[in-house]
Amino acid sequence: MSLRTSLGSYKAPLSKSLLLVPSAISILLTLLFQHYQKFFAYNLQAIKEDFQIWRLVCGRAICLDLKDTFCSSLLIYNFRIFERRYGSRKFSSFLLGAWMLSALFDLLLVEITQYVFGITISSLPSGFLGPVFALFVPFYCSIPRVQVTQVLGHFSITNKTLVYILGLQLLTSGSYIWILALSGLISGICYNSSILKVHRILCVPSWVAKLFSWTLEPIFSSAEPTNEVRVGMGATVDIQRQQRMELLDRQIMMSQVAQMRRQRQQQGGMINWNRLFPPLRHRQNANYQDHRPSDQDTPPPTEVSEEQVARLMEMGFSRGDALEALRASNNDLNVATNFLLQH
């Protein structure tokens, strides 16, 4: 098995299934079963007038345009980093919530367009496009921006540029696809909002997640790659592009952690966790004080989940740094990851 194949789908069975199954169905509908395409058309007129509610499911699952299939598949491949970071259940909950919310916003935006501009829209592009555009919200907010090179000395090319170009290509592939893009972005913002608490309502039940892990996950999961070689950023643009496709999530994290460790080694000290987590840690580091605190002043150590430690280690962090970050952040995986990346 090649490094691209094994690493591409490792720890991301849901992303792999979304990459393979809809693409295969789309190709079959385009090449062999054209007479069945009408069942997957996102026909708004049939939904509103004939009450064909099932079209909200079929019309928003499979792309009927191969260009949309190609672009959305590449975006899902790049967004698999979220399934690796947060787990399949949380990732599927985000997709489910964004998919349901974007259906509501699709109809709402169509009515607003007709009321304001007098444009009647009877159908929209088909496919799993709303959740794909919704994933740009966490991608923009949580993925660090690392500069790869510069064009003409002024325009920066980062590790996120290719993904944004793919999104722009998908946005310009149809006349009314901007409605799907806007509804997807609004859905992603609503689902990520800590005020609306949508993620507590629209989520995948635990029994459904367990059923998926027992039945479908063995089909789409991949074995852990054994021939993985951790490398830094390539010296040329071609090498950098290839690494972004194969090691997008690990590359960013490892480069920042390596730089941090070199700085600490030059200073002759370890990571100053008291500086990173001043409001969270009360235990003083022995490297920065002359005496050790008494047993009465030292709070009991926080229990750390081995599963979260394993996730941080998969991102490229050492076990010691992962344990310290999780203890200091009170077992909050997101906070621990962000601080490890930023420092």
Side-chain angles (χ1 to χ4, degrees), residues 31-43:
L31 300 180
L32 301 177
F33 305 103
Q34 294 91 345
H35 53 284
Y36 288 112
Q37 288 186 353
K38 60 183 179 180
F39 297 107
F40 295 92
Y42 194 5
N43 193 327

Side-chain angles (χ1 to χ4, degrees), residues 260-271 287-288:
M260 175 187 66
R261 288 174 179 169
R262 286 195 298 268
Q263 294 176 354
R264 297 302 174 191
Q265 290 175 358
Q266 292 175 0
Q267 296 176 2
M270 297 178 64
I271 300 176
N287 294 333
Y288 298 93

Side-chain angles (χ1 to χ4, degrees), residues 187-241:
S187 302
I189 294 173
C190 292
Y191 196 89
N192 272 357
S193 174
S194 58
I195 300 177
L196 299 178
K197 306 293 184 182
V198 178
H199 59 278
R200 295 185 179 181
I201 302 174
L202 300 178
C203 62
V204 175
S206 58
W207 65 270
V208 176
K210 291 180 180 179
L211 181 63
F212 175 81
S213 64
W214 293 338
T215 57
L216 299 180
E217 186 173 350
I219 301 175
F220 294 103
S221 61
S222 300
E224 181 177 2
T226 57
N227 58 342
E228 178 183 348
V229 180
R230 296 187 176 185
V231 295
M233 286 196 175
T236 65
V237 175
D238 293 336
I239 296 177
Q240 291 163 357
R241 288 177 179 173

Side-chain angles (χ1 to χ4, degrees), residues 125-331:
S126 303
F128 196 69
L129 302 178
V132 171
F133 282 110
L135 284 168
F136 276 97
V137 176
F139 181 77
Y140 174 81
C141 297
S142 62
I143 301 300
R145 178 178 177 270
V146 178
Q147 179 175 323
V148 176
T149 186
Q150 282 190 338
V151 178
L152 302 177
H154 299 284
F155 302 99
S156 297
I157 304 298
T158 70
N159 57 298
K160 304 169 75 171
T161 302
L162 178 61
V163 179
Y164 289 134
I165 292 176
L166 286 173
L168 183 61
Q169 175 65 34
L170 184 60
L171 179 63
T172 57
S173 63
S175 56
Y176 295 119
I177 201 170
W178 64 269
I179 294 180
L180 302 177
L182 184 57
S183 67
L185 293 175
I186 297 174
S187 302
I189 294 173
C190 292
Y191 196 89
N192 272 357
S193 174
S194 58
I195 300 177
L196 299 178
K197 306 293 184 182
V198 178
H199 59 278
R200 295 185 179 181
I201 302 174
L202 300 178
C203 62
V204 175
S206 58
W207 65 270
V208 176
K210 291 180 180 179
L211 181 63
F212 175 81
S213 64
W214 293 338
T215 57
L216 299 180
E217 186 173 350
I219 301 175
F220 294 103
S221 61
S222 300
E224 181 177 2
T226 57
N227 58 342
E228 178 183 348
V229 180
R230 296 187 176 185
V231 295
M233 286 196 175
T236 65
V237 175
D238 293 336
I239 296 177
Q240 291 163 357
R241 288 177 179 173
Q242 180 180 1
Q243 289 176 341
R244 280 202 304 274
M245 294 298 294
E246 297 178 349
L247 306 170
L248 177 63
D249 49 345
R250 297 170 186 256
Q251 179 189 54
I252 304 169
M253 300 173 185
M254 290 178 59
S255 63
Q256 295 188 356
V257 172
Q259 182 180 3
M260 175 187 66
R261 288 174 179 169
R262 286 195 298 268
Q263 294 176 354
R264 297 302 174 191
Q265 290 175 358
Q266 292 175 0
Q267 296 176 2
M270 297 178 64
I271 300 176
N272 187 353
W273 294 102
N274 294 319
R275 180 178 66 84
L276 299 185
F277 303 101
L280 300 177
R281 286 184 64 91
H282 301 287
R283 183 178 60 185
Q284 300 296 324
N285 193 320
N287 294 333
Y288 298 93
Q289 63 177 15
D290 297 333
H291 62 279
R292 303 176 68 89
S294 62
D295 295 338
Q296 297 178 352
D297 297 335
T298 303
T302 305
E303 291 293 334
V304 177
S305 171
E306 287 297 328
E307 181 181 357
Q308 294 181 346
V309 174
R311 289 187 183 179
L312 289 176
M313 293 178 66
E314 289 170 2
M315 298 178 189
F317 303 111
S318 67
R319 179 177 177 83
D321 291 348
L323 289 172
E324 290 289 342
L326 288 171
R327 290 194 186 105
S329 61
N330 196 22
N331 254 337

